[in-house]
Amino acid sequence: MGPHGPENERASLSVRVPRPRPPVWKGLSMIHPVRCWFFAAILSVLAISFVPGQVAPPRALHGRLEVIDGTKTLTLWGTPWERGFAHGFLLGEVLVQDFEKELKHLLFSEEMASRYESLFHGLLLPKFQFSRREEEELLGIIQGIEARVPDKEKRTLKITGKPISTLDLKAINTAGDWMGLGCSTIAVDGSRTKDGAPAAARNFDFPAFRLLLDHQMIVVNHGRNDLKGFVGVGFPGCIGTLTAMNESGVFGTIHDVDVNPHLLEAFLPHVPRVVAMRRLMEQVEAKGAVSQAHQLLKTWPTLYGNNIFIATPQSSAHAPFAGVLEYDHRHRLHGGATLRKPDRTEAGYAPLLVCTNHHRLRPDSGRLPALENCERYEALTQSFGEGQGQLDAEQLFAIAMRAARPSNQAPLQYYRHGTLHQAVALLGEKEFHVRLATVGRHISQEPVTVFDLDELLDPSKRRAEAGSPAGRGR
């Protein structure tokens, strides 16, 4: 086991530029002013391209792309490379076309996109850490794209003049670190649900990039060896997950917190938050899930501030049904992660835990954080207090809607901040309820699709699929 846990098996490291305090860019509209530097810097590595040889499609593709009750769903199984190859083969055309179109928006302006190589060439980049398995999956995606799009010119990004590479994919998988997420999550214990088991509801709030808004999907990752299967929300090129539930019924979500590292800390290895969430889904058991997640996060250094929310169907007097891991670069403080549990009452843990985008326990410069007034946190807490009786999925969606964006229920527009998906997890029943946003509509107008994890992740079904013919594409 390496210094950062079992996932870091001789990890190949990419290098990024350290971030100074926010500069003033005249005429540049920045989605997150502090992170503009780093995000543009990571994309500058696209000028360096590793181009593997063309790979013919295998006789059996270890994945399929389908629409389940109106929701696009990517199912993957096999080795990391086989999963990646299927991902790239099934979504390669979309990924190449939309990534190219999105670059000027990801870099905050067309002028910046046209000059990013010259602006950032020669700067020393800090490192994002991917394990050997993760590197193999990224390589598989690239080789799947090559098989699906054999014409090298069609795979070439105009801004670099080189074919899409694993470094492009790393830029995609770290976008959630450069740009602040909104997001909110609420969990309740079994005393307040109709099925008697804990449940959770989640809003994922983010700028509505086309690659996300038009192509976000459910990703079903079957378990393999000692890794658990899970179902989560993803998008083309992303090997991590934004919101997910694993085969043990453990539910997890990511949230940004505005805690930024000092310059020198940016040179240390760190794990992208969407990748950290995937690792948790693959490793955490239902019993003691919150404590397990807490210990694992301490082994994966991160760069920015995070709230990682974990909820589990199994709890006890000493193991809560949910927890918030306040997680950032300050490894000397509580090992990098501070656990916030539900409040204690005479009867045990309180039946509610709410999370938005502030650290509420983790000190800042030796002091407890000075909490800002968070309307979403207050709305979720108040909405739960107003509720009567036992909650079901529909009522949990209604509670989550109190914190959804835009708050005036205006239609979602490209590149504007809004709720891009909502999810409700019924942990005892292992049901993942999700609605994905579309442009021109508010999230409240979207239909809900229900995914039964026991059915989707059935091992006997996985064995049957392993020898199936190539999956379906777009």
Short mmCIF file of all heavy atoms in Angstrom, two decimals, residues 215-237:
data_model
loop_
_atom_site.label_atom_id
_atom_site.label_comp_id
_atom_site.label_asym_id
_atom_site.label_seq_id
_atom_site.Cartn_x
_atom_site.Cartn_y
_atom_site.Cartn_z
N HIS A 215 -25.33 16.25 -22.34
CA HIS A 215 -24.87 14.86 -22.39
C HIS A 215 -24.69 14.20 -21.03
O HIS A 215 -24.15 13.08 -20.96
CB HIS A 215 -23.55 14.78 -23.18
CG HIS A 215 -23.65 15.32 -24.57
ND1 HIS A 215 -24.44 14.74 -25.54
CD2 HIS A 215 -23.08 16.41 -25.15
CE1 HIS A 215 -24.34 15.44 -26.65
NE2 HIS A 215 -23.53 16.46 -26.45
N GLN A 216 -25.11 14.84 -19.93
CA GLN A 216 -25.01 14.13 -18.66
C GLN A 216 -25.91 12.90 -18.71
O GLN A 216 -26.92 12.87 -19.42
CB GLN A 216 -25.36 15.04 -17.48
CG GLN A 216 -26.78 15.54 -17.40
CD GLN A 216 -26.99 16.40 -16.17
OE1 GLN A 216 -26.35 16.20 -15.12
NE2 GLN A 216 -27.88 17.36 -16.26
N MET A 217 -25.53 11.88 -18.00
CA MET A 217 -26.19 10.58 -18.13
C MET A 217 -25.98 9.79 -16.85
O MET A 217 -25.18 10.15 -15.99
CB MET A 217 -25.57 9.82 -19.31
CG MET A 217 -24.08 9.60 -19.16
SD MET A 217 -23.27 9.03 -20.65
CE MET A 217 -21.54 9.19 -20.17
N ILE A 218 -26.72 8.72 -16.75
CA ILE A 218 -26.50 7.75 -15.68
C ILE A 218 -25.42 6.78 -16.14
O ILE A 218 -25.45 6.27 -17.26
CB ILE A 218 -27.78 6.99 -15.34
CG1 ILE A 218 -28.83 7.95 -14.77
CG2 ILE A 218 -27.51 5.86 -14.35
CD1 ILE A 218 -28.42 8.64 -13.49
N VAL A 219 -24.43 6.54 -15.26
CA VAL A 219 -23.37 5.58 -15.55
C VAL A 219 -23.48 4.44 -14.55
O VAL A 219 -23.46 4.64 -13.34
CB VAL A 219 -21.98 6.22 -15.47
CG1 VAL A 219 -20.90 5.19 -15.79
CG2 VAL A 219 -21.87 7.42 -16.42
N VAL A 220 -23.65 3.22 -15.09
CA VAL A 220 -23.73 2.01 -14.27
C VAL A 220 -22.37 1.32 -14.36
O VAL A 220 -21.99 0.82 -15.42
CB VAL A 220 -24.84 1.07 -14.78
CG1 VAL A 220 -24.89 -0.20 -13.93
CG2 VAL A 220 -26.18 1.79 -14.78
N ASN A 221 -21.63 1.31 -13.28
CA ASN A 221 -20.31 0.67 -13.23
C ASN A 221 -20.43 -0.61 -12.43
O ASN A 221 -20.63 -0.57 -11.20
CB ASN A 221 -19.29 1.60 -12.58
CG ASN A 221 -18.31 2.20 -13.58
OD1 ASN A 221 -17.58 1.47 -14.25
ND2 ASN A 221 -18.31 3.52 -13.68
N HIS A 222 -20.33 -1.75 -13.10
CA HIS A 222 -20.40 -3.03 -12.39
C HIS A 222 -19.17 -3.24 -11.52
O HIS A 222 -18.08 -2.76 -11.85
CB HIS A 222 -20.52 -4.19 -13.39
CG HIS A 222 -21.91 -4.34 -13.93
ND1 HIS A 222 -22.96 -4.76 -13.15
CD2 HIS A 222 -22.42 -4.15 -15.17
CE1 HIS A 222 -24.07 -4.82 -13.89
NE2 HIS A 222 -23.76 -4.44 -15.12
N GLY A 223 -19.34 -3.97 -10.41
CA GLY A 223 -18.23 -4.26 -9.53
C GLY A 223 -17.25 -5.23 -10.18
O GLY A 223 -17.57 -5.94 -11.13
N ARG A 224 -16.04 -5.23 -9.65
CA ARG A 224 -15.01 -6.13 -10.17
C ARG A 224 -14.02 -6.43 -9.04
O ARG A 224 -13.49 -5.53 -8.41
CB ARG A 224 -14.28 -5.50 -11.34
CG ARG A 224 -13.19 -6.38 -11.95
CD ARG A 224 -12.62 -5.74 -13.21
NE ARG A 224 -11.60 -6.62 -13.80
CZ ARG A 224 -10.30 -6.52 -13.54
NH1 ARG A 224 -9.87 -5.59 -12.71
NH2 ARG A 224 -9.44 -7.34 -14.11
N ASN A 225 -13.78 -7.73 -8.81
CA ASN A 225 -12.87 -8.17 -7.76
C ASN A 225 -13.28 -7.54 -6.43
O ASN A 225 -14.37 -7.78 -5.95
CB ASN A 225 -11.43 -7.84 -8.14
CG ASN A 225 -11.00 -8.55 -9.42
OD1 ASN A 225 -11.52 -9.60 -9.76
ND2 ASN A 225 -10.05 -7.97 -10.15
N ASP A 226 -12.42 -6.71 -5.85
CA ASP A 226 -12.74 -6.13 -4.53
C ASP A 226 -13.41 -4.77 -4.63
O ASP A 226 -13.62 -4.13 -3.61
CB ASP A 226 -11.45 -5.99 -3.72
CG ASP A 226 -10.41 -5.13 -4.42
OD1 ASP A 226 -10.46 -5.02 -5.66
OD2 ASP A 226 -9.54 -4.56 -3.73
N LEU A 227 -13.77 -4.33 -5.84
CA LEU A 227 -14.38 -3.03 -6.01
C LEU A 227 -15.89 -3.17 -6.18
O LEU A 227 -16.36 -4.00 -6.96
CB LEU A 227 -13.78 -2.31 -7.23
CG LEU A 227 -12.27 -2.06 -7.17
CD1 LEU A 227 -11.81 -1.35 -8.44
CD2 LEU A 227 -11.91 -1.23 -5.93
N LYS A 228 -16.63 -2.34 -5.49
CA LYS A 228 -18.09 -2.41 -5.54
C LYS A 228 -18.64 -1.76 -6.80
O LYS A 228 -18.06 -0.81 -7.33
CB LYS A 228 -18.69 -1.71 -4.31
CG LYS A 228 -18.30 -2.38 -3.00
CD LYS A 228 -19.00 -1.71 -1.84
CE LYS A 228 -18.55 -2.36 -0.54
NZ LYS A 228 -18.78 -3.82 -0.54
N GLY A 229 -19.77 -2.26 -7.25
CA GLY A 229 -20.48 -1.60 -8.33
C GLY A 229 -21.23 -0.39 -7.80
O GLY A 229 -21.58 -0.31 -6.62
N PHE A 230 -21.48 0.57 -8.70
CA PHE A 230 -22.24 1.75 -8.29
C PHE A 230 -22.95 2.35 -9.49
O PHE A 230 -22.61 2.08 -10.65
CB PHE A 230 -21.33 2.81 -7.64
CG PHE A 230 -20.32 3.43 -8.57
CD1 PHE A 230 -20.61 4.62 -9.24
CD2 PHE A 230 -19.09 2.84 -8.79
CE1 PHE A 230 -19.70 5.20 -10.09
CE2 PHE A 230 -18.16 3.41 -9.65
CZ PHE A 230 -18.47 4.60 -10.30
N VAL A 231 -23.94 3.17 -9.20
CA VAL A 231 -24.70 3.90 -10.21
C VAL A 231 -24.57 5.37 -9.89
O VAL A 231 -24.78 5.78 -8.74
CB VAL A 231 -26.18 3.47 -10.21
CG1 VAL A 231 -26.99 4.32 -11.18
CG2 VAL A 231 -26.31 1.99 -10.55
N GLY A 232 -24.20 6.18 -10.88
CA GLY A 232 -24.00 7.60 -10.62
C GLY A 232 -24.29 8.45 -11.83
O GLY A 232 -24.59 7.95 -12.91
N VAL A 233 -24.19 9.76 -11.63
CA VAL A 233 -24.37 10.71 -12.71
C VAL A 233 -23.00 11.11 -13.24
O VAL A 233 -22.10 11.46 -12.47
CB VAL A 233 -25.15 11.96 -12.25
CG1 VAL A 233 -25.35 12.93 -13.41
CG2 VAL A 233 -26.49 11.58 -11.64
N GLY A 234 -22.84 11.03 -14.57
CA GLY A 234 -21.57 11.40 -15.19
C GLY A 234 -21.82 12.08 -16.52
O GLY A 234 -22.94 12.45 -16.85
N PHE A 235 -20.76 12.20 -17.31
CA PHE A 235 -20.85 12.82 -18.63
C PHE A 235 -19.68 12.31 -19.47
O PHE A 235 -18.73 11.72 -18.93
CB PHE A 235 -20.86 14.35 -18.53
CG PHE A 235 -19.68 14.94 -17.79
CD1 PHE A 235 -18.57 15.40 -18.48
CD2 PHE A 235 -19.69 15.04 -16.41
CE1 PHE A 235 -17.48 15.94 -17.81
CE2 PHE A 235 -18.60 15.58 -15.73
CZ PHE A 235 -17.50 16.03 -16.44
N PRO A 236 -19.69 12.50 -20.78
CA PRO A 236 -18.65 11.92 -21.64
C PRO A 236 -17.24 12.36 -21.22
O PRO A 236 -16.98 13.53 -20.98
CB PRO A 236 -19.00 12.47 -23.03
CG PRO A 236 -20.47 12.66 -22.99
CD PRO A 236 -20.75 13.14 -21.59
N GLY A 237 -16.35 11.37 -21.11
CA GLY A 237 -14.96 11.62 -20.75
C GLY A 237 -14.69 11.59 -19.27
O GLY A 237 -13.54 11.54 -18.84
#
